[in-house]
Amino acid sequence: MSDAPCFCDYQELDKLFPHSKFVYLERDLSLWLPSMQMLINKMKTHLAPITGTFHPVLKRSFTHTFDLDKTDTPDASAHLEMCYLRHKQQVLNYFNGRDDLIQINISHEESLTKLLTFLGKEIEGKPQFPHLNRGRKVACWEEHTHQNKVSANSSGPLRRKFFDYNVKR
C-alpha cells in the first residue's frame, strides 16, 4: 500500500521504475469526500509550508494534488470534488492505451481477485480486502511494519526517505 508521494508522482515513478504496475484505488465520491475533509482538517497544521511538521515531500504532494496553496477552504466539498475528478482524469490520460494500470474499488467484493489476477498471482477461494479504516480512525499506520515503511514526519530517527528524482510541474 502506498501513499504520498505516489499519488502525486506516478509519472516520475513510472520513469524511475520501468515495467512497474500501477493500481488506481477508486472510491465512491460520496464516501471519499467526508473522509478527505476529515483528513485535510486533521493534517492542515502539519502541511503548513513553514511551520508544518510533515516532510517537504508530503507537503508538496498534498499541496499539488489538493491545491492547498490556491484555496482558503481546502476542505470544501466542491473544491475536493474538483481535485478528485481532475486527478482521476490525469491518471487515466497518462496511462491511456497501456496495460500496466488497474482501477479497483477495494470495497467491491471482486477487487482483490482482480488485483491478484493483474499481478499474475494465484487465487485461492474468494479473497477480499479487510476493512481497516472505520469511523474517525483514518489509518492504523502504527500497526503496520515493513522495512520500507517511513514516517510522515520530518524529524526523528525514521526521517521520511524519498526517491531521487526532480518533479517538473
Side-chain angles (χ1 to χ4, degrees):
M1 193 100 196
S2 187
D3 193 27
C6 297
F7 65 81
C8 182
D9 296 353
Y10 57 90
Q11 294 179 28
E12 290 81 5
L13 295 170
D14 184 33
K15 293 175 184 99
L16 192 59
F17 299 101
H19 312 295
S20 293
K21 292 186 176 193
F22 291 82
V23 179
Y24 185 86
L25 296 177
E26 294 185 294
R27 192 163 179 201
D28 295 333
L29 194 55
S30 64
L31 300 173
W32 182 84
L33 277 172
S35 177
M36 274 311 296
Q37 287 171 318
M38 182 177 61
L39 182 64
I40 291 286
N41 280 315
K42 187 175 182 179
M43 295 174 66
K44 211 180 322 191
T45 58
H46 302 293
L47 292 168
I50 309 268
T51 58
T53 59
F54 285 156
H55 191 280
V57 170
L58 186 65
K59 291 180 189 181
R60 177 186 52 76
S61 298
F62 271 83
T63 298
H64 174 76
T65 304
F66 298 106
D67 290 340
L68 298 181
D69 57 344
K70 295 178 178 79
T71 181
D72 292 330
T73 53
D75 62 338
S77 294
H79 174 75
L80 287 172
E81 182 174 346
M82 182 273 304
C83 293
Y84 177 94
L85 295 172
R86 179 188 63 203
H87 180 265
K88 181 176 182 176
Q89 192 58 55
Q90 289 170 339
V91 170
L92 296 179
N93 288 345
Y94 181 78
F95 287 99
N96 187 35
R98 296 174 47 173
D99 64 355
D100 54 352
L101 173 76
I102 186 174
Q103 295 173 246
I104 59 170
N105 183 327
I106 63 172
S107 68
H108 295 169
E109 195 173 295
E110 75 287 349
S111 61
L112 185 52
T113 299
K114 286 172 71 173
L115 177 62
L116 293 172
T117 301
F118 176 68
L119 297 175
K121 301 291 184 182
E122 280 191 40
I123 302 167
E124 295 181 22
K126 292 181 75 172
Q128 293 185 11
F129 283 106
H131 193 125
L132 299 175
N133 298 336
R134 294 186 186 270
R136 297 198 53 81
K137 190 171 185 180
V138 175
C140 310
W141 193 237
E142 290 80 20
E143 297 172 17
H144 302 287
T145 59
H146 190 276
Q147 64 190 19
N148 295 331
K149 178 185 161 189
V150 293
S151 172
N153 297 312
S154 60
S155 61
L158 299 174
R159 290 186 62 88
R160 186 178 257 287
K161 302 171 193 174
F162 54 95
F163 298 108
D164 186 18
Y165 57 81
N166 291 316
V167 177
K168 297 175 182 94
R169 305 249 189 254

